[in-house]
Amino acid sequence: MAAKAKGVGGMLQDIMEHENLKEEDVDMAEGSDNDDSDSSEEEEVDRQKVSTLEAEVTGNPFSYDAHVQLIALLRKLGELESLQRARERMSKVFPLSEELWLDWLRDEYPLATTEAERDAVAKLFERAVKDYLSVGIWVEYMQFSIGGMAAVDGIQRVTSVCERALTACGLHVTKGALVWETYREFEDALFASIQHAPGSVSTEEQQSKIDQQRERIKAIFRRQLSVPLVDMEVTFEEYGQWLGDTEKVDQSTQQLYEKAKAKLTDLMPYEDALAEAAAPHLPEFRSYIEREKRMNDPARIQCIYERALAENCLELSLWLEYLKYLDTRLKIGHIAMATYERAVRNLPWAVALWQGYVLAMERNGEPHESVNELMLKALGVSLAQSADYQCLWLTYLDYMRRRVEWEEEHENELEELRETFQRAVEHLHQYFGTEGDAQCEIRQRWARLEGVRLKNMTRAREIWADIMQEGHSRSAQMWLTYLQLERAHGDSKHCRKLLQRAMQLKTDRPELVCRAYVDYEREEGTLEQLDEVQAKCEPVLKRAEEWRAKDAAKEESIATVTAHREGERRQAKTEKRSAKRADMKEKKSGEKRKFSDITSEAKADASSGNAADKARFKVPGAPLAKRVKEGTSASATPSSGDDQQHAAAPAQEDRHDHGLDDRSVFVSNLLFTTEEAAVTSVFDKVRSPTRIREADVERFAPLLTASCACRSARSSG
């Protein structure tokens, strides 16, 4: 029975445990379902955000923040294909930051297993290192290349990448050591791979390879020790340990190390300033750049400019300063071209960069097709204003004119130049109307080209006719500019015709036209022609004076009305200010009256208070100047000088003698009805007082009066 009972108890216990387990499983399942539900809801929200951001970047490809948010969400959702498309789309419009590139590269190269896939990742690295100077990206690129060293020409590829990395950022004072160390690790690995097995004897060929590799590593150490880098003391110690006991650091390496260490000491204040200041460190970088320019080391100047631009990629003045240095001082075409490409990707709205890019391509001898493609690309971006497009066209037209070989056959180039002038005029007029080229500078330049270079005044006059028809016929200066071209390369017939036409119109400065006409006849015409012109100019000048007088009267009238309105406005403002002051004064006066009334009421209450208050706070009457002791009446008034002196003597005697301070007691807070006998009776227990002197009540009377009044006011309240 006991066994049976035990078995039943055990069965019950098993059942209970089983039920508990089932409840736990149910709870876990419910928790899992809740987590899945929350995850699904969050994923659905993210996908809706992705759809919204996709529409935004499609409608506005230049929305940088939308691109970044879209990439982050797609990476979170694990949508690899969509993520790759989003990154490619952003990379076409903007240069990517170091963080964006590293995320992209680290997502891609672990998946690259075949040679073709690794080549694709290598191309991605090539794009990444072109945007900004980044030690982190270069180190990743080196490590990725080392991973493929077993391929055909793998070692040569790794060496090439490492050398390029040293050129790009090996001079970086605080981070450059990472690149050098990665390079040395690669060479050390090669050195270890060619060592002969223990106990074996290497052949002459093997020993030659070992010696060559050893010299390569020593050369890298020497190169690194000649560059001022942070923690270069550690590198010097590593070099000594690597050489071992059989070889010491040579004297030339020691000298290079000491020189680099001294230079590092000079550079550290600038590096410390960068480390202590807040990003983007523009003032600190400018100071650093000026220092490097004084030292005039082109490689170091490039490095510090690249470091500055990595943090100040939207600073136009810094780009222009760097590009000017590359164009005028360094003068290495491919470096300047690559920098211009990066500059216009960062600041596509800056027309000065596009202008410089066109000139750099011409300076570097790039094909005309490439320059034309660049121009089309520049016209496709959103520049700040219409004047920027005009400047861009003028720069491109200068380039097109220089393409024409005037001493050789140039029909094709000349026709293309004329077509370009026409394209420029039509483009500006189509998008900006007459504001696109307000002074018709492009057409003026075109007319000069036709008249001066090509001796085609007929075409030049047609161009000037178009200029005048677009609203410039009222500008005397335009007529004079046209006259200069006509006088230099035209004939007298067209000059007189031009001047007559200008005189017939109401120009803004008719006296200038008349003066030019008279001067022309003095230099070119006869006396009769001069007299005729002077006679024609008199009524024109008279009308000009009348117009000018009318304009002056109109301006005076407008000025009078304006002054009158200004006076009214000032008067109204003054009256408003005076009224405000009067209101404030009246308000303050009312407050004073109110306070006076309250004080009077308080004094009245104090004088007619209840009996208890009167007993405790008896207000004294007007006190005498001094209380006189025995035999002196309070109401007595001296009538003579002797009496006044006699009365003043007791008052002076009533003053406290400070010589008796150690035997004096001051008693306060007594009722005004307190008698002298009451005070004497208190001190009789100790010693009878020899003299009792009353304090000067006059000084405390106002305070006591106010105290009583306030108490009365509180009591009545």
Side-chain angles (χ1 to χ4, degrees):
M1 292 292 294
K4 186 175 180 180
K6 182 178 179 180
V8 172
M11 291 174 63
L12 291 174
Q13 185 176 0
D14 292 341
I15 292 172
M16 291 177 65
E17 290 178 356
H18 182 66
E19 292 297 328
N20 290 334
L21 288 174
K22 287 176 65 178
E23 291 178 0
E24 290 178 1
D25 291 341
V26 170
D27 292 339
M28 291 178 64
E30 291 177 354
S32 177
D33 292 340
N34 291 334
D35 292 341
D36 291 342
S37 176
D38 294 340
S39 177
S40 299
E41 292 177 0
E42 183 179 357
E43 183 177 347
E44 184 63 27
V45 171
D46 289 340
R47 292 191 181 280
Q48 291 178 358
K49 290 181 180 178
V50 166
S51 300
T52 303
L53 292 171
E54 286 278 4
E56 182 175 351
V57 298
T58 301
N60 181 16
F62 296 97
S63 178
Y64 185 89
D65 293 337
H67 281 287
V68 174
Q69 295 173 16
L70 177 60
I71 290 172
L73 282 175
L74 290 174
R75 193 165 189 255
K76 177 182 176 182
L77 294 171
E79 299 287 344
L80 297 182
E81 294 183 1
S82 300
L83 176 61
Q84 187 177 17
R85 288 195 299 269
R87 284 167 166 167
E88 289 288 352
R89 179 168 46 195
M90 182 178 182
S91 180
K92 289 180 180 178
V93 182
F94 295 107
L96 304 187
S97 65
E98 180 182 31
E99 294 77 11
L100 290 173
W101 272 120
L102 287 175
D103 288 342
W104 191 354
L105 294 166
R106 288 167 181 168
D107 288 344
E108 292 289 341
Y109 73 73
L111 304 177
T113 56
T114 65
E115 191 66 26
E117 292 173 342
R118 289 188 61 85
D119 289 342
V121 175
K123 291 179 181 179
L124 198 61
F125 269 110
E126 289 293 335
R127 291 167 55 187
V129 297
K130 289 179 181 179
D131 279 350
Y132 301 111
L133 176 65
S134 170
V135 175
I137 293 177
W138 274 110
V139 171
E140 289 280 348
Y141 193 9
M142 295 166 72
Q143 293 174 347
F144 172 76
S145 301
I146 292 172
M149 59 184 294
V152 178
D153 298 332
I155 295 177
Q156 288 80 358
R157 291 183 184 180
V158 176
T159 303
S160 174
V161 171
C162 291
E163 289 292 338
R164 289 171 57 204
L166 291 181
T167 302
C169 48
L171 298 178
H172 197 301
V173 176
T174 57
K175 299 181 180 180
L178 292 173
V179 181
W180 290 98
E181 291 170 2
T182 305
Y183 195 4
R184 283 194 286 107
E185 289 175 359
F186 163 66
E187 295 292 348
D188 282 337
L190 290 180
F191 185 65
S193 66
I194 61 176
Q195 294 291 328
H196 57 80
S200 62
V201 178
S202 59
T203 62
E204 183 177 350
E205 183 179 357
Q206 290 175 339
Q207 189 61 41
S208 175
K209 290 183 179 180
I210 292 173
D211 294 340
Q212 289 177 3
Q213 186 62 24
R214 181 178 177 84
E215 289 298 322
R216 284 180 59 83
I217 298 174
K218 288 171 64 177
I220 295 174
F221 265 116
R222 293 193 194 101
R223 290 167 62 189
Q224 181 178 356
L225 292 172
S226 66
V227 178
L229 300 172
V230 173
D231 295 333
M232 59 186 310
E233 300 88 351
V234 177
T235 305
F236 186 76
E237 292 179 3
E238 290 180 1
Y239 183 40
Q241 295 173 0
W242 186 84
L243 290 175
D245 299 333
T246 59
E247 188 176 358
K248 294 183 179 180
V249 178
D250 59 280
Q251 186 176 0
S252 62
T253 304
Q254 181 76 30
Q255 292 175 351
L256 291 173
Y257 166 70
E258 295 295 339
K259 185 178 179 180
K261 192 175 179 182
K263 186 180 290 187
L264 177 64
T265 303
D266 295 338
L267 295 175
M268 284 312 297
Y270 297 94
E271 294 292 342
D272 292 339
L274 289 173
E276 294 170 2
H281 313 103
L282 184 58
E284 292 76 20
F285 272 122
R286 288 196 181 278
S287 177
Y288 206 159
I289 289 169
E290 290 302 319
R291 188 267 175 197
E292 294 293 3
K293 283 186 174 180
R294 289 194 300 269
M295 298 297 103
N296 198 25
D297 185 342
R300 297 199 63 83
I301 293 172
Q302 279 185 265
C303 183
I304 191 60
Y305 265 123
E306 292 292 347
R307 288 177 61 185
L309 288 169
E311 296 189 31
N312 299 273
C313 60
L314 300 181
E315 186 64 34
L316 176 59
S317 61
L318 192 61
W319 280 107
L320 293 175
E321 185 182 327
Y322 182 31
L323 291 166
K324 182 179 179 180
Y325 172 79
L326 296 178
D327 287 335
T328 61
R329 300 294 297 276
L330 193 62
K331 297 182 179 180
I332 300 177
H334 69 277
I335 294 178
M337 295 283 293
T339 307
Y340 271 110
E341 179 62 29
R342 292 189 294 124
V344 296
R345 278 170 58 80
N346 281 274
L347 298 169
W349 56 85
V351 67
L353 296 177
W354 291 105
Q355 290 177 277
Y357 200 175
V358 170
L359 297 177
M361 295 190 79
E362 181 184 4
R363 195 178 294 117
N364 201 42
E366 294 295 319
H368 172 63
E369 291 74 14
S370 300
V371 183
N372 187 50
E373 183 179 351
L374 175 66
M375 183 62 184
L376 294 176
K377 184 178 179 181
L379 292 174
V381 302
S382 298
L383 299 181
Q385 52 190 351
S386 61
D388 292 342
Y389 287 97
Q390 181 200 40
C391 293
L392 183 62
W393 274 114
L394 289 172
T395 301
Y396 187 62
L397 287 167
D398 292 341
Y399 156 74
M400 294 294 293
R401 181 191 59 78
R402 288 190 291 266
R403 286 186 66 239
V404 180
E405 297 290 342
W406 300 103
E407 304 300 329
E408 300 177 3
E409 182 65 28
H410 55 264
E411 289 299 326
N412 294 334
E413 291 80 1
L414 180 58
E415 187 61 29
E416 192 173 356
L417 174 58
R418 284 171 169 161
E419 291 176 358
T420 305
F421 270 112
Q422 188 63 37
R423 283 172 52 206
V425 172
E426 292 175 355
H427 175 269
L428 294 174
H429 188 271
Q430 177 183 357
Y431 290 100
F432 307 104
T434 56
E435 296 299 325
D437 189 8
Q439 298 301 316
C440 297
E441 294 182 39
I442 292 177
R443 274 181 283 191
Q444 288 188 46
R445 189 171 298 188
W446 187 2
R448 284 195 298 272
L449 174 71
E450 295 287 353
V452 177
R453 174 68 72 173
L454 302 176
K455 309 301 181 184
N456 187 355
M457 281 302 297
T458 302
R459 182 63 181 129
R461 293 184 187 109
E462 292 174 357
I463 296 171
W464 266 107
D466 293 339
I467 293 174
M468 292 304 180
Q469 289 176 1
E470 286 195 1
H472 295 286
S473 60
R474 303 293 182 181
S475 172
Q477 189 58 49
M478 279 290 190
W479 285 107
L480 296 181
T481 303
Y482 184 8
L483 178 63
Q484 290 177 358
L485 177 64
E486 193 65 62
R487 289 194 65 176
H489 304 281
D491 52 49
S492 58
K493 175 185 175 182
H494 286 90
C495 286
R496 289 189 174 93
K497 186 177 180 181
L498 183 155
L499 288 166
Q500 291 171 5
R501 178 62 177 161
M503 285 185 60
Q504 293 172 0
L505 297 172
K506 182 182 177 181
T507 60
D508 54 354
R509 300 287 300 278
E511 66 275 7
L512 296 180
V513 177
C514 291
R515 188 181 305 125
Y517 202 172
V518 171
D519 290 342
Y520 178 79
E521 294 300 346
R522 282 175 179 172
E523 297 172 6
E524 303 290 341
T526 63
L527 180 59
E528 291 78 8
Q529 290 172 327
L530 177 60
D531 293 339
E532 183 181 356
V533 168
Q534 288 178 340
K536 290 181 179 179
C537 288
E538 287 180 3
V540 173
L541 294 175
K542 185 177 180 180
R543 287 197 303 270
E545 289 296 332
E546 293 175 356
W547 294 336
R548 192 169 288 108
K550 290 181 180 179
D551 292 340
K554 185 177 180 181
E555 291 179 1
E556 184 178 358
S557 176
I558 293 173
T560 302
V561 173
T562 303
H564 180 68
R565 290 177 179 175
E566 181 67 19
E568 290 180 347
R569 187 184 65 82
R570 290 180 179 177
Q571 183 178 359
K573 190 174 182 180
T574 303
E575 292 176 355
K576 184 178 180 181
R577 189 182 297 112
S578 300
K580 187 176 181 180
R581 289 177 179 173
D583 292 342
M584 293 178 64
K585 187 175 181 180
E586 184 178 354
K587 185 178 180 181
K588 289 182 179 178
S589 177
E591 291 177 353
K592 288 182 179 179
R593 288 196 300 270
K594 183 177 180 181
F595 179 76
S596 177
D597 294 341
I598 293 173
T599 305
S600 300
E601 292 175 2
K603 288 182 179 179
D605 291 342
S607 61
S608 59
N610 54 51
D613 287 337
K614 287 183 179 179
R616 296 178 59 191
F617 298 100
K618 182 177 180 180
V619 181
L624 295 174
K626 290 291 179 181
R627 296 291 298 270
V628 183
K629 294 188 116 181
E630 303 172 8
T632 303
S633 175
S635 61
T637 304
S639 59
S640 65
D642 294 339
D643 294 338
Q644 290 177 3
Q645 292 178 1
H646 180 75
Q652 291 180 358
E653 291 178 0
D654 195 49
R655 292 180 180 177
H656 175 64
D657 184 1
H658 290 286
L660 303 176
D661 284 346
D662 58 340
R663 288 175 289 167
S664 299
V665 176
F666 177 76
V667 181
S668 64
N669 295 330
L670 299 177
L671 293 175
F672 289 107
T673 57
T674 304
E675 300 293 336
E676 184 175 321
V679 177
T680 303
S681 64
V682 173
F683 288 97
D684 281 342
K685 300 177 182 179
V686 181
R687 183 178 178 180
S688 298
T690 59
R691 183 185 181 198
I692 296 177
R693 186 176 63 84
E694 205 173 314
D696 188 1
V697 182
E698 185 178 5
R699 291 190 303 159
F700 301 101
L703 178 63
L704 293 170
T705 302
S707 175
C708 293
C710 291
R711 177 177 178 83
S712 177
R714 287 196 298 269
S715 299
S716 62

